[in-house]
Amino acid sequence: MEFVLTFHQPAEVFEINDDPVRGAEPMQAWRLYMDAMVGAGVLRGANRLEQFAGTAVRVRGGKRQVQDGPFAETKELLGGYALIDVASIDEALKWAERCPGSAVGVTMVWPVRPTPKPAQ
Amino acid sequence: MNGAAAAAEAAARGSYGRLLAWLAWQWRDVAAAEDALSDAFAAALERWPRDGVPDAPDAWLLTAAKRRLLMAARRQRLADDPALTVLWPDEHAATPDAAPLPDARLRLLFVCAHPAIDPGLHSALMLQTVLGLDAARIASAFLVKPEAMTKRLVRAKAKIRDAGLRFEEPDPDEWPERLASVLDAIYGAYTLHWGLSDDDDAGELAGEARFLAELVASQLPGEPEALGLAALLWLCEARRPGRRARYRPLHEQDPGDWNATLIAQANAALHEAAMHRAPGPFQLEAAIQAAHTQGRIDGRVPWKGITRLHERLLEIAPTVGARIAHAVALAHALPDPRAGLRLLDAIEAERVAAHQPWWAARAHLLAMAGAHPEAALAYGRALALTVEPRLRAWLMERLRAEEAAARPGG
């Protein structure tokens, strides 16, 4: 079963992580975490995102609205995601718990909805 | 909190399991008994502040719960056959019965760990029924979606009712297996707290499991494995104060921090169990812990004896955990870290790829063998698989030490 883990953390956590000195330990923890998922054979893909540079696009009644992040309504910023393939939701939650981000922010676990095969 | 609320709280903590076990036993329906008992607690919170706390709060709660169960049963029977109405007593005639309640908690434990129930749910069912923990808290403890845990518990209780699982003590021929399931589930509940970081919550859960182990040991004093489990939990608990501040492996702990009373109590229970000459996994585990504990007090760990205990344990219960512990003990007994590493490598890779104790053991033995770069990698993997903050801090220290040792000239 596939799940997407999304990593949400407060802005100050990203500031620490991006600092070469203060961020050394957390960034090593993230590397070790990703290595562990690769080692366990569950990781299908992962990326970091430019969490401060998100842009929102909305179209309402034919009118477009473009807005720069960070967005005031969310305290925690989306800093990355991983796609994993595990046997059960229980196992997905276990990987979410191990995520270094879970200790300072929140890791969300999203079951991937299976897509029907395209008709030939 | 006012007096009535406090009394209801106290009754809930002290007698929930006792009341529920008795009701479930009488009605053979755990879910209905839970509903009735929670209604009774709700009624108590409403009535007691107004009318005063009754002399025997437990008896009051029991009577109220029984009344609700009778009413529910009568509604059901009325629907089935209205002619039965007259056979049912007036619920208001029921008076609080202060006679001591037979303790049915052991029966309930046997039902919770029944072979017809998914073994993965045994501990959760015990925590909910005998100890009254709510499903959300149990879900967090097991790291399961709360909704899924609630569903699983509801299904298990429906099965107990619909399959008519017996609340009687198991027959002699199935007794050892059934008792083993009960003890396994209690131990499972105890080990849950290792994964939790919140000290209070963790300590509380461990305390609940210890309560269950002591309950079984006191009700079945002739069962060496029940004594073995109690001894094992006492030994683990005896060393908790030392672990609380900072994680330290056993061989770095200060025995002065340990609870000597609990250790003596555990040793006495182990001796008593040994008289039965029927060693089982919990007695062996406890004996291993006792040997480590005594070794630390004496200043010399008896690794050869510990290795033999591990070998006996492997004959009975060759779990991954037992194989890992055996590998480490053997490496120290010989001493030869490579021999331990060979045993670790013999465990199927897919079973240990994400198993923290395997990586920590491997790291320890690699460091012992002087293979510092490999040890650092293994400590890193163990760290990534660990959630508990104190254990993480210790693994990080080890990782840094191995990284330093691996550097040229380090």
Side-chain angles (χ1 to χ4, degrees), chain B residues 5 17 77 98 147 170 186 216 270 279 288 314 341 352 354 393:
Chain B
R77 281 180 203 234
E147 187 194 305
I186 295 174
V216 175
L270 262 184
I288 290 164
L314 279 181
L341 285 167
V352 291

Side-chain angles (χ1 to χ4, degrees), chain A residues 25 28 32 93-94 97-98, chain B residues 143 145 354 384 400 403:
Chain A
E25 195 160 307
Q28 182 183 26
L32 291 170
L93 295 189
K94 218 172 263 173
E97 186 191 29
R98 290 167 179 152
Chain B
L143 189 61
K145 258 172 92 78
R400 292 279 176 258
E403 280 173 345

